[in-house]
Amino acid sequence: MPSVRHVAHEFLKRQGLTTVFGNPGSNELPFLADLPEDFRYVLGLHEGAVLGMADGYAQATGQPVLVNLHAASGSGNAMGALTNAVASRTPLVVVAGQQVRPAIGLEANLTNVDASALMKPLVGWAAEPACAQDVPRALGQAVFEAQLQRRPTYLSVPYDDWAADCDDNGAAVLDRQVQRASVPSAEQGHSILERVASARRPALVLGGDIDSAGLFDDAVRLAERLGSPVWAAPSQFRLPFPNRHPLFRGVLPAGIAPICDAFEGHDLVLVLGAPVFRYHEYLPGRYLPEGTRLIQVTEDASAAARAPMGEALVADPGAVIELLLKALDAPAEQSPGYQPAPEPLTADGSSLHPEQVFAALRDELPDDTAYVVESTSTSSSWWRQMDLRRPGSYYFPAAGGLGFGLPGAVGVAMGQPDRPVVGVIGDGSANYGITALWTAAQHRVPLTVVLLRNGTYGALRWFGGLLGVPDAPGLDIPGLDFTRIAEGYGVASQHVNSLEELRAVLSERPDHPRLVQVDTALTTPS
Ligand code: TZD
Ligand code: CA
């Protein structure tokens, strides 16, 4: 009989999970023994960075990705980063090591006590198989649950299981295939079509799932067909629509009252591929204007169930877009007429305004550049200056959990080696995922990190104003020189002092990672 380990490796290979992001401990070593040649183990130096890199890689490739973490302490370290992967609906399969079976009950050192309960609030499925012979099947379930639910899963495996022999059924998992088709019924499709076609002023709201599912261009066709304004859903983690398209109205503000205001005058709001809604600032009010109806189409059943208003159809938004496109009249020929960006704002003194930095990115980087952004006080500057017209151009920590940006950028760059990738990272955010620079250097990932140094947690200063807390301690972060930090991790870096220098540096295309530090003026997110 083959070993559990052998079948597990073979299963992962057949399912395409051969890139493993991990940080090992003793419990994990037996899983890593005899790892076949065609596996690639990507070491991260902290579990938050491991998770963030895997998240970026899985989002960029669109495939489930394996993460290997140490028992409770390693898994616990990854939990902040896991909140982002949950919100972006990234199919990560976390396999963690566990003490040997005889030592779990007595809580020998490095036991993961009640392993599945540790992760349960976040992951879609978590288990520790009841015996070694169930490990191959359970690994299959972890992969398929992640794929079907589009949510991370967690499997804890006692380390003596890997060398155990499979039973007669152990290899059955190798031939498994699990797929889902979630097309709406004729009646459901007809009902949506009728309401969209009869709406006087429909509005479209698109979520990150539209980009994750490869529906970016279809969404453009639908909006142009309807001639309706388009918003990106609030707390956006992917850009689902070209941001300078004449029908684009921006990212919805993340508050109840302002969202209601935005929909004023629209009789129908069609939300595709997003929760309704991911509010942030508590700005109470009516959910919708009087007489406005809302229809949500999402594959995320729990997002449909917890929405506070509207009708929901749990189905593939792509299928709904397709049936609407088929049924609605074709539009008159129209040129898209993309809106030009305004002149960037400038700052007093020696620092650059973030708008100047973003205008430089827009002008100097190729059109197909993918940006991973974790800079919180600069979002309005970002959207005023950028011109993103391609799918997969934008990633942001989906649950607001800092520490995704830098690792996520490494993962996106590894997942899409043919595309230029730029991380746009604040001097606060960088610290939560800084260790990913080491992995980028070791793998010579051709990533550019633009480090925006304003010396403070800018967004929290702004939030302090909103919440009436002008005097909170712990918001300034002076004395950080990321060029020296990056050099220590093996990443080439430079500090740029002028706009000309920045533009010149950005026009270079090195084949290795680099960090470009630029001092920026403090701005507000909106
Ligand atoms: N810790 C984690 C893991 N996630 C968080 N979101 C925070 C703390 C709180 N936080 C924010 O929500 S924004 C922010 C913090 C600390 C400041 C980020 O600073 P930055 O960006 O330099 O990256 P800005 O542009 O200066 O705001
Ligand atoms: Ca900052």
Side-chain angles (χ1 to χ4, degrees):
M1 282 293 158
S3 67
V4 167
R5 173 173 47 235
H6 179 80
V7 172
H9 288 166
E10 180 61 26
F11 169 74
L12 291 168
K13 200 159 115 181
R14 290 197 189 184
Q15 295 292 329
L17 283 84
T18 51
T19 294
V20 188
F21 290 85
N23 185 269
S26 49
N27 291 349
E28 291 68 42
L29 299 179
F31 166 69
L32 298 172
D34 300 328
L35 203 61
E37 281 282 291
D38 39 8
F39 275 66
R40 174 166 63 151
Y41 185 87
V42 181
L43 176 62
L45 301 185
H46 179 279
E47 291 81 357
V50 170
L51 217 294
M53 290 190 281
D55 188 353
Y57 189 85
Q59 288 198 55
T61 58
Q63 300 299 323
V65 167
L66 188 68
V67 178
N68 189 231
L69 299 180
H70 189 43
S73 55
S75 302
N77 274 354
M79 282 180 91
L82 202 57
T83 63
N84 291 318
V86 171
S88 52
R89 308 187 59 230
T90 308
L92 296 180
V93 180
V94 181
V95 175
Q98 169 67 297
Q99 255 295 5
V100 290
R101 287 187 180 271
I104 295 172
L106 53 82
E107 298 188 15
N109 205 3
L110 306 188
T111 296
N112 190 348
V113 179
D114 209 350
S116 52
L118 176 74
M119 310 303 280
K120 273 247 163 88
L122 288 179
V123 299
W125 178 89
E128 188 171 279
C131 63
Q133 283 64 38
D134 193 38
V135 169
R137 184 209 59 79
L139 182 61
Q141 187 172 3
V143 171
F144 299 132
E145 290 278 6
Q147 186 183 306
L148 291 173
Q149 294 188 38
R150 298 257 321 275
R151 195 170 172 120
T153 56
Y154 186 78
L155 184 67
S156 165
V157 183
Y159 76 76
D160 46 340
D161 285 7
W162 297 112
D165 281 341
C166 279
D167 61 17
D168 287 344
N169 294 317
V173 73
L174 297 178
D175 299 324
R176 292 211 65 207
Q177 294 285 344
V178 176
Q179 287 169 350
R180 172 158 77 178
S182 47
V183 176
S185 72
E187 194 185 327
Q188 290 163 333
H190 183 73
S191 150
I192 288 193
L193 173 62
E194 201 172 61
R195 261 138 0 120
V196 171
S198 65
R200 278 177 301 102
R201 286 191 68 206
L204 270 180
V205 177
L206 304 176
D209 288 358
I210 295 297
D211 194 41
S212 317
L215 297 170
F216 185 98
D217 294 325
D218 293 335
V220 173
R221 276 192 282 283
L222 177 63
E224 290 179 354
R225 195 71 60 92
L226 291 171
S228 60
V230 176
W231 280 273
S235 307
Q236 197 53 264
F237 61 95
R238 302 275 289 247
L239 179 67
F241 200 81
N243 76 300
R244 307 216 83 83
H245 190 287
L247 290 171
F248 193 57
R249 299 287 176 273
V251 181
L252 278 172
I256 295 170
I259 285 188
C260 181
D261 290 348
F263 294 151
E264 199 58 60
H266 291 284
D267 51 342
L268 179 72
V269 178
L270 179 60
V271 182
L272 299 176
V276 170
F277 284 111
R278 227 171 142 80
Y279 304 111
H280 179 188
E281 300 92 34
Y282 186 59
L283 302 168
R286 283 183 61 104
Y287 287 123
L288 292 172
E290 188 77 53
T292 302
R293 306 289 296 272
L294 182 145
I295 302 175
Q296 174 193 25
V297 181
T298 175
E299 285 185 306
D300 184 345
S302 121
R306 69 174 183 268
M309 76 291 209
E311 285 171 48
L313 176 64
V314 179
D316 173 7
V320 170
I321 294 177
E322 197 182 301
L323 75 87
L324 290 175
L325 283 176
K326 270 199 191 125
L328 296 168
D329 291 337
E333 269 307 299
Q334 56 169 227
S335 69
Y338 279 66
Q339 314 281 323
E343 271 301 303
L345 298 174
T346 55
D348 298 334
S350 60
S351 24
L352 294 178
H353 193 286
E355 286 201 18
Q356 295 174 293
V357 178
F358 302 151
L361 290 171
R362 182 197 64 218
D363 295 343
E364 306 300 337
L365 272 298
D367 291 344
D368 64 339
T369 301
Y371 294 93
V372 183
V373 179
E374 195 168 275
S375 162
T376 45
S377 66
T378 54
S379 47
S380 103
S381 298
W382 174 262
W383 293 119
R384 264 169 56 88
Q385 290 305 323
M386 297 309 287
D387 184 350
L388 305 177
R389 302 186 185 190
R390 313 261 183 124
S393 290
Y394 176 80
Y395 301 80
F396 189 87
L402 302 180
F404 168 77
L406 232 168
V410 176
V412 168
M414 292 183 82
Q416 286 186 339
D418 298 336
R419 245 177 124 163
V421 178
V422 174
V424 178
I425 313 290
D427 52 352
S429 297
N431 300 292
Y432 299 89
I434 196 74
T435 56
L437 286 177
W438 178 85
T439 308
Q442 293 296 315
H443 288 260
R444 255 186 111 75
V445 177
L447 165 72
T448 294
V449 175
V450 175
L451 197 296
L452 304 174
R453 190 170 68 159
N454 61 10
T456 187
Y457 288 157
L460 298 189
R461 300 201 149 272
W462 168 80
F463 231 102
L466 281 187
L467 300 179
V469 185
D471 55 352
L475 299 188
D476 282 339
I477 45 171
L480 285 165
D481 181 351
F482 289 92
T483 62
R484 294 173 64 190
I485 296 170
E487 295 288 349
Y489 279 115
V491 169
S493 63
Q494 55 210 114
H495 180 90
V496 299
N497 291 298
S498 70
L499 191 53
E500 296 66 44
E501 208 186 330
L502 175 67
R503 283 184 177 263
V505 165
L506 291 178
S507 66
E508 293 161 14
R509 303 274 166 272
D511 62 356
H512 55 78
R514 61 168 171 172
L515 182 141
V516 181
Q517 173 171 272
V518 46
D519 288 334
T520 48
L522 180 59
T523 53
T524 57
S526 59

